[in-house]
Amino acid sequence: MKKKQILGLDCQKYGMGNGGASARGCHRQGLRLSLGIPGGWRGKAKVGTGPEGMGVPAAALGRIWWGPSRGEGGGVPTLAVAPLHPVSGPAGCGGAQGRLAHKLLHDLFANYSSALRPAEDTDRALNVTLQVTLSQIIDMDERNQVLTSYLWVRQAWLDAHLTWDKDAYGGIDSIRIPSSYVWRPDIVLYNNADDRFSGSMETNVVLRSDGHIMWDSPAITKSSCKVDVSYFPFDGQQCRLTFGSWTYNGNQIDLRNRLDAGDLTDFVENVEWEVLGMPATRNVVTYGCCSEPYPDVTYTLLLKRRASFYIFNLLLPCVMISFLAPLGFYLPADSGEKVSLGVTVLLALTVFQLLVAESMPPSESVPLIGKYYIATMTMIAASTALTIFIMNVHHCGPGARPVPPWARRLILHHLARALCVCEVGESCSSPRQAGTGGMGPQEHPGVGAQPGPCPRSHCLCHHHVLLSSVGYIAGCFRRHRAAQRRAGEWKKVAKVMDRFFMWVFFIMVFLMSVLVIGKAA
């Protein structure tokens, strides 16, 4: 069969694409060519697509050969395509999808402006839905009342100017493009406390064929949070995150929350704060500057402090130190360390009080642990003052007055028996009765005492000088014993008072500790 080369076929000339055609497109269109046949006759011929039904891109097309068919008359020529380079079908399909996406992007944004609100009817509000996912609580600054958190913010709206027929573009249903290409609602965090006021990260948006746009962007926010430390370290906080449009009012943008609460499925647990929930509410507020309503979505972050760290580092040391204060009354007065112990405990509590004050915001509300510290310090100061008074009673000298009868009856008799305070050789059930503080009933005045008649006529007792000296010595001895007895009584009074105040302060420390734990519960 005689063959003759006619021409090199280019699919672009016959509407098969831009510089080439996909395999599926060549097969679907079934291009027919009108060829001039040497010898004076014309015929119709169809480009063969190969046994697999795959077309050939223009860049890979080779030469077309023709020849008479083996049918009757041989009137219709048969064409055959000989490709210069082998081409695979799937690579051609991917390249076509990329070219169609590029063409779609060019067609969408040919006459598009990202500065105007994309609404078909300018009198109707554009619906914008908001969803916030809490990923991490980075820091809670109680002193400056600032909450630093890591959020994932999702915004969705309908752009009526960015729609297309996906069948006309090879079935492309969605594309990812930079967010700066499209119009974006100016949703900001109203209670932002960041000095740099940085917004969300410039991420891509997902644009669908029906015009719906979804924008997911991560953001590290610093929001103002009113911190209530009344029950520190057993406190809970409510921090609000209020999102809304800065310039569009409710007649232009209708902002709504997508869910009734923030998403906590991807939350990273915090070592100090436990998240109890994150409910969302929609509010419509009319501000004094403008008459139009402005909708916003407020997420309330419910936090509860994990108090284990503060219990072991602030509360338990304070309780143990406060229990040392009553033991100062049990310390013997002659040791000389009673006042020193009270002052040392007071200084230790002052240091812990300063640690708490540094972390708390300067406000009128005093935290619970601060109240406990103040009450304990007041109690220790009172115990130190009472210790000084009791030591003064203990060190009453020989010239002190006798113990008053009411004090002897109340303190040395009833209170000493109740507190089981007894001297060596005494029993707590029947203590030795205290003397009158002077001379005993069996004692007689020594000075000027006249001895009885002496049986002998020549006795030395009749010498007045010797008799006066002996009487003086006996009187001094009796006065010394009386002074010692009075001093001993005052020491016992001081000992009973020490034991009484020790139990009183122990009870006060226990009640204060129970009160703090009860308020925390």
Side-chain angles (χ1 to χ4, degrees):
M1 180 179 61
K2 183 180 179 181
K3 296 182 180 181
K4 185 176 181 181
Q5 181 180 357
I6 303 295
L7 51 86
L9 180 62
D10 187 357
C11 289
Q12 184 177 3
K13 297 180 180 179
Y14 303 99
M16 296 296 293
N18 203 2
S22 67
R24 191 175 305 165
C26 289
H27 176 68
R28 183 170 56 246
Q29 292 195 18
L31 180 65
R32 301 183 64 87
L33 303 177
S34 298
L35 302 176
I37 306 299
W41 61 273
R42 300 178 61 87
K44 296 284 187 178
K46 186 174 182 180
V47 177
T49 57
E52 298 180 359
M54 300 297 293
V56 182
L61 286 177
R63 303 184 182 275
I64 298 179
W65 303 86
W66 71 277
S69 65
R70 295 183 180 181
E72 296 180 357
V76 180
T78 301
L79 300 181
V81 179
L84 297 178
H85 304 283
V87 180
S88 60
C93 293
Q97 287 288 334
R99 287 188 293 272
L100 289 176
H102 185 272
K103 183 177 184 300
L104 173 61
L105 183 64
H106 180 270
D107 294 342
L108 286 176
F109 293 95
N111 297 316
Y112 181 81
S113 175
S114 61
L116 300 178
R117 185 171 59 96
E120 293 182 350
D121 188 0
T122 57
D123 295 333
R124 297 183 59 183
L126 180 65
N127 294 326
V128 178
T129 59
L130 180 68
Q131 178 184 350
V132 172
T133 300
L134 179 63
S135 178
Q136 185 181 4
I137 296 176
I138 299 177
D139 182 38
M140 167 65 87
D141 189 355
E142 292 96 344
R143 188 168 186 84
N144 296 320
Q145 303 190 67
V146 174
L147 171 67
T148 305
S149 55
Y150 178 42
L151 306 176
W152 298 345
V153 182
R154 169 173 290 184
Q155 304 176 43
W157 65 93
L158 176 64
D159 195 324
H161 302 154
L162 296 178
T163 60
W164 71 89
D165 184 8
K166 58 182 179 181
D167 294 332
Y169 292 92
I172 297 178
D173 183 58
S174 63
I175 57 175
R176 272 78 174 168
I177 58 176
S179 58
S180 58
Y181 284 18
V182 300
W183 174 90
R184 295 173 296 179
D186 55 345
I187 305 298
V188 297
L189 181 63
Y190 281 175
N191 55 334
N192 197 329
D194 193 359
D195 52 354
R196 294 176 296 179
F197 209 85
S198 58
S200 303
M201 187 181 297
E202 294 291 336
T203 56
N204 290 344
V205 298
V206 179
L207 176 60
R208 300 192 179 277
S209 59
D210 55 358
H212 282 89
I213 298 178
M214 186 171 60
W215 182 26
D216 292 335
S217 60
I220 297 178
T221 61
K222 289 186 178 181
S223 58
S224 59
C225 177
K226 185 178 180 181
V227 179
D228 184 12
V229 293
S230 300
Y231 293 96
F232 175 84
F234 307 99
D235 57 329
Q237 305 298 333
Q238 295 184 1
C239 296
R240 292 177 173 82
L241 301 171
T242 303
F243 295 90
S245 176
W246 191 254
T247 57
Y248 293 104
N249 55 48
N251 299 326
Q252 297 170 330
I253 286 184
D254 185 14
L255 181 63
R256 295 186 178 273
N257 49 306
R258 183 179 179 184
L259 301 175
D260 294 333
D263 189 5
L264 300 176
T265 55
D266 298 319
F267 177 70
V268 179
E269 292 293 334
N270 190 269
V271 296
E272 184 178 1
W273 296 96
E274 178 185 0
V275 178
L276 303 179
M278 194 177 178
T281 56
R282 180 180 182 271
N283 308 304
V284 179
V285 183
T286 302
Y287 297 96
C289 64
C290 313
S291 59
E292 297 85 1
Y294 282 84
D296 63 69
V297 176
T298 300
Y299 290 88
T300 304
L301 189 59
L302 305 179
L303 302 175
K304 181 181 178 181
R305 191 189 301 272
R306 303 181 191 270
S308 302
F309 174 81
Y310 299 97
I311 289 176
F312 286 100
N313 290 277
L314 291 180
L315 190 58
L316 284 183
C318 176
V319 173
M320 291 187 290
I321 289 175
S322 60
F323 271 102
L324 288 177
L327 293 178
F329 293 105
Y330 194 74
L331 196 65
D334 295 331
S335 64
E337 298 293 335
K338 293 172 69 70
V339 178
S340 300
L341 178 62
V343 172
T344 303
V345 172
L346 189 63
L347 290 176
L349 284 178
T350 304
V351 172
F352 281 100
Q353 174 68 17
L354 291 176
L355 291 177
V356 175
E358 287 180 356
S359 60
M360 294 295 100
S363 61
E364 295 182 356
S365 60
V366 181
L368 184 62
I369 190 172
K371 295 178 182 178
Y372 181 70
Y373 281 164
I374 292 174
T376 306
M377 291 169 64
T378 304
M379 183 191 68
I380 294 175
S383 67
T384 305
L386 287 173
T387 300
I388 295 174
F389 171 73
I390 293 173
M391 289 185 64
N392 189 22
V393 173
H394 175 82
H395 291 287
C396 284
R401 296 186 303 172
V403 178
W406 65 269
R408 183 180 295 109
R409 184 172 56 256
L410 177 63
I411 298 177
L412 298 181
H413 182 67
H414 299 290
L415 201 57
R417 181 180 298 179
L419 298 175
C420 197
V421 179
C422 54
E423 299 292 341
V424 178
E426 294 181 354
S427 176
C428 293
S429 58
S430 58
R432 182 180 60 189
Q433 296 293 328
T436 59
M439 294 175 292
Q442 75 279 3
E443 296 175 354
H444 302 282
V447 180
Q450 298 293 331
C454 187
R456 293 185 177 184
S457 58
H458 301 284
C459 182
L460 294 177
C461 295
H462 295 284
H463 293 278
H464 296 285
V465 177
L466 181 60
L467 185 62
S468 300
S469 299
V470 172
Y472 176 77
I473 293 173
C476 289
F477 181 72
R478 282 190 291 269
R479 286 192 299 271
H480 179 68
R481 289 186 60 188
Q484 285 184 341
R485 187 178 295 110
R486 288 194 299 270
E489 289 179 351
W490 283 114
K491 287 182 179 180
K492 188 174 183 180
V493 169
K495 187 175 182 180
V496 173
M497 293 176 64
D498 269 337
R499 191 66 54 84
F500 172 75
F501 284 116
M502 182 188 72
W503 289 111
V504 168
F505 278 88
F506 265 129
I507 295 174
M508 290 177 61
V509 171
F510 177 76
L511 290 179
M512 283 192 302
S513 302
V514 172
L515 184 62
V516 169
I517 298 175
K519 282 190 174 183

